[in-house]
Amino acid sequence: MHAKAILRISLLILCTIPVISDAQITITKDHMPKVDDAIEFSTASPIGIDVSKTGANTSWDYSKLTKITDGVDEYKASYKTPYLLNFGFTALGKKLRDTLGFSSFQLKNIYNFYRNDSKSFRDVGVGFQFAAIPLPQSGKHSDPDEIFVFPLKYGNKDTTTFEVEVPISAGIRLGSYYRSGTRMTEVDGWGTITTPYLKNEPCIRVKSTIVGLDSIKVSTPSINFGQEVTRVEYTWLSTSERIPVMKVSGTVAIGNFTPTSVTYRNEWSKAPQVTADFSVAKTTIKVGSVFKITNESKGDNLTYLWSITPSSDVKFVNGTDNTSENPSVVISTKGKYTVKLVATSGSVSDSMTKTDYITIDANSNINEVSTGMSWGPNPSYGRLTFIGDVNACPKTIQLYTVDGKLLKNSIVNSYDKSVDLSSIAEGMYYISWVDAARVRHRSKLFIANN
């Protein structure tokens, strides 16, 4: 076969072979926090958090997290912290807490220090002030804690150790803070994650099991207390955020994981402002009357959820429902009704409840059409009735669609002067009839049968 023909066939075969691509991401040092980062996050309730789902091409949906508090992680150059002497100019300091503990055993101004390079992102030391001794106390890890070993990719596993001792002194050594342990890390899943902040964000998940000892020794008086604990951290990382997209921490007992804290990336200071409000033109309304609720909420890209209670005799009409911006409503039973609106923009919501806001009276909505004659109700719930002088009552009525199509020509029942409309679909129509004086009448009629 000619060489050019062979080449064309080969290219054709290659084009028909499906392209298999590995959609997982890889995390490197470039995706870790940097100096002067101030990264906002929110904490959420750990109740009901399920972390069992994992593996390749997994979709994690945590969009319904219940926010509790907001916070910000601020990363500073070590020389801008009180602990320059121990960590020089190149470490990255993150303030963990203002205080931890109680009474004279309270730690203040607590910082963790990190270093980041192509091999790992690691915890290299800690600094704090002991409540009884205002001087800064700090110490480097004799064995750094490699939090992430790069590159991070699905299936990677690492086991590292860590150890740090911080002398507590005020001219003389009074004691020490000591921490040591083992960190076992596995990238156990990749795929996408959805939170209240991000949707379908490509990510990997890192599972870290930390077995460690935290202790404090004080020489005078002689006190030595500490606790060995096992904790597990599930961390979702993406290439677009220099902080975990989400992190779930907890404890393990008898092989069971119990989540104790949940944080997720959020820009809470930039969250949209939402104010829910509404009104009606009249708060006292006749039974069967259609009334419109005017939405007066403020915010961008809002969605709405209405509830009117008691709800058994409430109907949304005119093509609206309980998610419409300005719903139209019919209530068929007298009484007082409470109206509630929840307005939502993204993960931010506001609600307005007006208790006993609408009063429905016992009188039907009757339409006066001529001397001695009226008709109702409007809306009709299956039957339209003419009231008044029997001689003025029409013999027939015509029912038209809004575009003028004759839908029904009905004989008016001479006994009760009514017309059965129960077979007509809900909607807006026109009725027309001729009275005894040969005057034609035409009126709008809303039918609310269903």
Side-chain angles (χ1 to χ4, degrees):
M1 186 180 292
H2 194 278
K4 288 185 178 179
I6 294 173
L7 178 60
R8 283 196 298 270
I9 293 172
S10 300
L11 289 173
L12 180 62
I13 293 172
L14 286 173
C15 290
T16 60
I17 297 175
V19 177
I20 302 174
S21 63
D22 187 354
Q24 67 164 302
I25 63 171
T26 300
I27 298 296
T28 68
K29 70 179 183 67
D30 296 327
H31 307 119
M32 294 295 105
K34 292 178 169 56
V35 170
D36 295 330
D37 276 350
I39 306 173
E40 294 177 339
F41 64 89
S42 294
T43 66
S45 170
I47 297 173
I49 292 293
D50 183 9
V51 295
S52 61
K53 187 179 180 182
T54 194
N57 201 21
T58 299
S59 176
W60 290 280
D61 186 356
Y62 295 106
S63 57
K64 299 188 183 302
L65 290 174
T66 303
K67 186 174 77 166
I68 299 174
T69 60
D70 296 314
V72 59
D73 280 334
E74 296 184 88
Y75 293 88
K76 298 181 180 180
S78 51
Y79 67 86
K80 294 183 179 179
T81 74
Y83 311 106
L84 168 64
L85 294 179
N86 268 73
F87 299 102
F89 291 88
T90 58
L92 182 66
K94 182 181 78 169
K95 192 170 189 177
L96 300 182
R97 294 188 183 181
D98 289 316
T99 59
L100 178 66
F102 58 92
S103 188
S104 59
F105 299 105
Q106 189 177 72
L107 305 182
K108 298 183 176 182
N109 213 18
I110 308 163
Y111 276 81
N112 252 43
F113 290 89
Y114 306 92
R115 291 191 187 277
N116 183 38
D117 58 31
S118 60
K119 294 182 179 180
S120 66
F121 181 75
R122 55 196 180 275
D123 182 348
V124 295
V126 63
F128 58 82
Q129 292 171 254
F130 201 51
I133 307 167
L135 296 176
Q137 315 290 325
S138 59
K140 291 182 180 179
H141 278 77
S142 55
D143 183 3
D145 180 7
E146 286 90 355
I147 299 171
F148 300 123
V149 177
F150 302 129
L152 284 169
K153 199 169 185 178
Y154 179 53
N156 288 9
K157 295 182 180 180
D158 287 286
T159 299
T160 60
T161 58
F162 58 88
E163 184 175 19
V164 62
E165 183 172 6
V166 182
I168 300 172
S169 60
I172 60 172
R173 182 162 177 161
L174 302 176
S176 63
Y177 164 77
Y178 180 78
R179 183 159 64 97
S180 65
T182 300
R183 179 184 291 268
M184 292 160 283
T185 300
E186 176 185 3
V187 182
D188 71 345
W190 67 270
T192 60
I193 185 170
T194 297
T195 70
Y197 174 69
L198 292 169
K199 184 176 182 180
N200 295 328
E201 177 71 13
C203 67
I204 62 171
R205 190 178 85 165
V206 181
K207 178 184 178 182
S208 302
T209 303
I210 303 101
V211 181
L213 170 68
D214 283 13
S215 66
I216 290 180
K217 300 177 181 179
V218 179
S219 304
T220 306
S222 181
I223 298 174
N224 184 359
F225 61 91
Q227 184 177 15
E228 185 169 300
V229 296
T230 298
R231 71 181 191 275
V232 176
E233 299 172 350
Y234 293 93
T235 306
W236 287 262
L237 300 170
S238 79
T239 56
S240 67
E241 305 293 334
R242 290 203 296 271
I243 192 174
V245 173
M246 181 170 160
K247 184 175 180 179
V248 178
S249 301
T251 58
V252 176
I254 320 177
N256 295 319
F257 174 72
T258 302
T260 56
S261 72
V262 177
T263 60
Y264 64 93
R265 176 76 169 97
N266 199 8
E267 290 188 335
W268 45 265
S269 67
K270 299 179 182 178
Q273 300 300 308
V274 177
T275 303
D277 200 5
F278 59 88
S279 66
V280 294
K282 295 190 299 182
T283 57
T284 300
I285 301 163
K286 293 181 180 180
V287 167
S289 293
V290 176
F291 64 93
K292 182 178 180 180
I293 305 177
T294 302
N295 198 324
E296 298 174 348
S297 301
K298 296 179 181 179
D300 296 324
N301 302 315
L302 295 178
T303 59
Y304 308 101
L305 182 62
W306 297 90
S307 60
I308 302 175
T309 53
S311 61
S312 57
D313 298 307
V314 175
K315 194 171 188 64
F316 293 90
V317 296
N318 290 352
T320 66
D321 59 23
N322 67 335
T323 63
S324 299
E325 181 176 359
N326 299 293
S328 295
V329 181
V330 171
I331 301 178
S332 58
T333 302
K334 68 178 181 178
K336 292 184 178 295
Y337 290 80
T338 295
V339 182
K340 179 181 179 180
L341 168 63
V342 179
T344 302
S345 177
S347 61
V348 180
S349 296
D350 186 47
S351 65
M352 171 61 73
T353 300
K354 298 186 179 182
T355 303
D356 294 340
Y357 181 55
I358 293 172
T359 300
I360 304 297
D361 74 12
N363 298 318
S364 296
N365 184 14
I366 300 300
N367 297 269
E368 298 291 341
V369 295
S370 64
T371 302
M373 178 56 61
S374 58
W375 63 274
N378 188 10
S380 165
Y381 290 88
R383 184 165 292 275
L384 185 68
T385 301
F386 289 85
I387 303 168
D389 186 353
V390 66
N391 295 319
C393 180
K395 305 300 182 186
T396 62
I397 70 162
Q398 291 77 43
L399 184 70
Y400 294 89
T401 61
V402 292
D403 59 359
K405 180 181 178 181
L406 178 62
L407 190 65
K408 188 170 184 176
N409 188 33
S410 296
I411 297 174
V412 178
N413 187 310
S414 60
Y415 176 74
D416 59 9
K417 295 179 288 185
S418 68
V419 179
D420 182 9
L421 299 175
S422 60
S423 64
I424 305 301
E426 180 180 282
M428 184 66 71
Y429 299 89
Y430 286 97
I431 57 170
S432 178
W433 72 92
V434 177
D435 67 15
R438 299 184 180 276
V439 176
R440 178 164 291 279
H441 300 270
R442 187 171 184 267
S443 297
K444 285 184 178 180
L445 172 67
F446 188 82
I447 295 178
N449 292 329
N450 300 317

